[in-house]
Amino acid sequence: MILVALMPILILVSIVIAILRFNSPNVKTSKTKLSSIVSIRLLMVYVVVLLVATVWTWAFPVSSESVTALTSKEVNKKKQDYRLLTAGNAGKMDDSSIIETWTQSVNDGVFKITSKSSEQMPLNLVIKRIDDSESVVKASLYQSMVLYNHYEVQTNLDQVNIEWQNDTLEIGNQTPPETNLNLKFYDYAPINRKFQLEYNYGEFSEYLPVLYVEVPKSIKLYVDQRLVTTISE
Amino acid sequence: MSLQEVSLYEIVKKQVIYKVKSYTGILHTLMVLQIIGLFFAASGNSGMMGGSSGTLNYSITFFSGTAITVMTIMWIITNSVLIATTAYKNDDFTFVSTRWSRHLANGIYITFLAILGTLTSYMGINLIKIVYQILQIEAIYDINLSYMDHFSSIINIFGYILLSGILAYFIGSVLQFNKLFTIFGIIAIVALIAVFNSFNGVNLYYSLGRFILAEDSIAIFMVKIAGICLLAFSASWFLNKNQEVYT
């Protein structure tokens, strides 16, 4: 599109230059110097530099490790798995997305989950009541993720402050710091349009970390329901 | 009358080699303009977008080789017009040559420039990638292209550059044919198109450009480019075939 728009201007510029240089015999003195060895060598150096840069970028792709290319099918699967996780079914989630796991024995048969303030929770809290005779609470923190169409971006939103104090789990009441994420995409102009059609850089989904807490049914649970995303039996 | 019969192929070959070796200023200009284009491209001027979601602010910058390609197109337009001028024509007739051999040599030389411009402009963007990679400034992502994507991209750029060069050569030839005719002709064409646009409520420049350049099929695109180039090149020949060697 840019080229199409610029084409008439480029042609007009060339016409102006042509009229200015029209039939000037002096042009050849500055343009046709026969001592061309240095110039050709200079051009060769320029081409070699570009060639090395091209080979380098093919050999060592520039993609940052924090950005993973996913197919649309993989993206949909991740979304589906995340939905299941927040509904209390962690079975589909990959273990590699767990940041940390805690296991705590509860002595008095009472377990509390608290938050220091009523501010918005920095994560999704999912509680699953399980049939277990042992008085053990297990909590797993699943990382956050950002899905930008075909790309998954891990962010530092995983930094959630969680503290265990005997039988009480306290979730950090601080809102996670704002993350500035700068992505840079490279492409080539002639197929820009193709990318825009195929990739449609529009859909942006951010998924907060999930704290998945498994609590035996035998244990009494005290928790402010406003903190909880899902309680699954 | 000469006792030695000289083949057209040999004459054209010598002229093309002469042009490649002697018009060194053209090569300098290419490097300078493409380096300027690289700076434009490095600034990420091809597009930016951003927004926020919850606690996340995001900005996305798109880099593109468009600036380098545009600079290369400007370069080939300027030089193709210059090649058609009297100064360069006089140089060509220092050889044993005919108008046809000169015309052919110019066509091959413009094609050579287009190939050179295409390859250098296509590879130019990789320099920016390396700089960002070494500096590790921010998260970057390079879209993986297939070999077919690379091929079609190179063919596209070549098509744009060659078309620009041949059209500019045609304009240069028209200027050599008759200056007054050219100036009044351009004014008349621009005026007619303006009248046509205003009466029909269309933008003929845009429609024409879109018809030629915005083609999804690479094969049809190349057929269009080849057709227009052949037409313009033939027209240039018919305009100049009866001109005097020295004017």
Side-chain angles (χ1 to χ4, degrees):
Chain A
M1 286 302 142
I2 297 168
L3 287 174
V4 172
L6 282 177
M7 203 54 77
I9 298 165
L10 294 177
I11 292 168
L12 283 175
V13 168
S14 74
I15 292 167
V16 169
I17 291 169
I19 290 169
L20 290 175
R21 310 295 296 262
F22 183 68
N23 282 352
S24 167
N26 295 328
V27 173
K28 66 180 178 186
T29 54
S30 61
K31 285 284 177 186
T32 59
K33 289 174 184 168
L34 290 170
S35 56
S36 59
I37 297 168
V38 175
S39 299
I40 288 179
R41 280 183 184 169
L42 203 61
L43 179 73
M44 283 170 71
V45 169
Y46 179 65
V47 171
V48 166
V49 168
L50 294 179
L51 208 58
V52 168
T54 305
V55 172
W56 179 276
T57 50
W58 281 355
F60 307 102
V62 296
S63 297
S64 166
E65 286 180 3
S66 64
V67 185
T68 315
L70 299 173
T71 63
S72 56
K73 195 178 173 183
E74 287 171 321
V75 169
N76 288 333
K77 187 179 179 302
K78 274 186 174 286
K79 285 181 178 177
Q80 180 62 24
D81 290 350
Y82 191 89
R83 269 194 289 272
L84 288 171
L85 178 71
T86 50
N89 184 0
K92 296 272 184 181
M93 281 303 274
D94 190 356
D95 283 349
S96 63
S97 29
I98 297 175
I99 302 165
E100 200 170 344
T101 304
W102 300 267
T103 308
Q104 188 85 2
S105 295
V106 178
N107 300 322
D108 300 334
V110 176
F111 179 63
K112 292 178 187 171
I113 298 177
T114 61
S115 178
K116 280 181 180 172
S117 78
S118 59
E119 285 180 24
Q120 192 180 357
M121 289 281 281
L123 46 68
N124 285 317
L125 178 60
V126 177
I127 298 170
K128 184 162 188 178
R129 302 301 298 263
I130 56 171
D131 293 320
D132 197 342
S133 56
E134 290 185 31
S135 298
V136 175
V137 174
K138 184 184 173 191
S140 303
L141 181 64
Y142 287 83
Q143 67 190 7
S144 64
M145 60 183 181
V146 175
L147 297 174
Y148 189 73
N149 277 21
H150 291 205
Y151 310 102
E152 179 195 17
V153 184
Q154 306 297 345
T155 73
N156 64 1
L157 289 176
D158 314 328
Q159 297 165 355
V160 178
N161 180 25
I162 295 173
E163 289 177 20
W164 290 83
Q165 292 174 345
N166 301 323
D167 297 341
T168 304
L169 170 67
E170 189 177 70
I171 299 168
N173 60 348
Q174 291 178 349
T175 307
E178 283 211 347
T179 304
N180 289 308
L181 178 70
N182 296 297
L183 293 174
K184 293 183 183 299
F185 288 85
Y186 294 98
D187 51 51
Y188 294 93
I191 42 178
N192 227 352
R193 195 158 44 94
K194 181 186 166 188
F195 284 134
Q196 283 168 356
L197 286 173
E198 286 188 7
Y199 288 81
N200 184 24
Y201 303 114
E203 190 187 338
F204 185 88
S205 309
E206 181 191 355
Y207 296 94
L208 289 175
V210 176
L211 184 66
Y212 192 87
V213 187
E214 290 173 295
V215 183
K217 283 181 179 173
S218 56
I219 293 175
K220 277 191 177 176
L221 178 66
Y222 289 99
V223 60
D224 184 345
Q225 286 196 0
R226 287 176 300 176
L227 306 179
V228 186
T229 308
T230 306
I231 299 178
S232 171
E233 295 287 339
Chain B
M1 188 176 175
S2 171
L3 295 173
Q4 178 83 35
E5 191 173 331
V6 186
S7 74
L8 179 67
Y9 171 76
E10 285 298 324
I11 297 172
V12 172
K13 186 180 156 190
K14 278 183 183 171
Q15 281 193 320
V16 171
I17 292 170
Y18 164 75
K19 286 170 196 288
V20 171
K21 284 188 174 175
S22 62
Y23 298 167
T24 53
I26 291 176
L27 307 180
H28 295 155
T29 323
L30 171 69
M31 287 183 273
V32 171
L33 283 176
Q34 285 197 343
I35 288 166
I36 293 169
L38 273 169
F39 280 111
F40 279 121
S43 63
N45 58 351
S46 62
M48 286 183 78
M49 61 179 290
S52 62
S53 172
T55 55
L56 184 73
N57 294 319
Y58 65 95
S59 69
I60 296 168
T61 312
F62 298 96
F63 290 90
S64 151
T66 309
I68 307 169
T69 309
V70 167
M71 283 296 180
T72 310
I73 287 173
M74 287 188 74
W75 163 77
I76 202 162
I77 287 175
T78 311
N79 289 300
S80 298
V81 172
L82 280 174
I83 286 167
T85 57
T86 306
Y88 282 82
K89 188 167 74 175
N90 291 345
D91 283 343
D92 290 339
F93 288 109
T94 54
F95 287 84
V96 175
S97 62
T98 62
R99 291 180 195 86
W100 176 235
S101 71
R102 171 184 174 263
H103 194 60
L104 273 181
N106 281 344
I108 294 168
Y109 184 61
I110 290 169
T111 310
F112 164 76
L113 292 183
I115 292 170
L116 185 68
T118 302
L119 294 178
T120 49
S121 65
Y122 191 72
M123 292 190 292
I125 193 80
N126 294 315
L127 272 180
I128 303 168
K129 287 183 190 178
I130 288 183
V131 170
Y132 275 97
Q133 193 179 14
I134 291 169
L135 295 178
Q136 294 182 329
I137 300 171
E138 287 149 350
I140 50 177
Y141 193 84
D142 189 11
I143 293 168
N144 291 321
L145 301 179
S146 65
Y147 289 115
M148 192 59 207
D149 288 334
H150 279 293
F151 174 74
S152 61
S153 192
I154 288 173
I155 291 292
N156 265 308
I157 295 174
F158 176 70
Y160 293 143
I161 295 176
L162 181 68
L163 179 70
S164 310
I166 295 291
L167 285 180
Y169 182 70
F170 169 69
I171 291 168
S173 301
V174 175
L175 279 167
Q176 295 302 307
F177 178 68
N178 190 311
K179 192 165 68 172
L180 278 177
F181 171 79
T182 307
I183 293 167
F184 284 115
I186 289 171
I187 292 169
I189 290 168
V190 170
L192 280 173
I193 291 174
V195 170
F196 180 84
N197 286 347
S198 62
F199 271 95
N200 294 286
V202 293
N203 187 340
L204 199 61
Y205 297 112
Y206 179 79
S207 304
L208 203 62
R210 190 171 168 74
F211 169 73
I212 299 166
L213 302 175
E215 177 58 58
D216 289 330
S217 163
I218 190 79
I220 298 173
F221 173 76
M222 282 316 291
V223 168
K224 283 179 184 176
I225 295 289
I228 296 165
C229 286
L230 275 175
L231 271 176
F233 198 64
S234 307
S236 307
W237 161 240
F238 281 109
L239 281 172
N240 288 299
K241 69 176 182 177
N242 293 322
Q243 277 194 324
E244 293 292 333
V245 173
Y246 289 100
T247 55

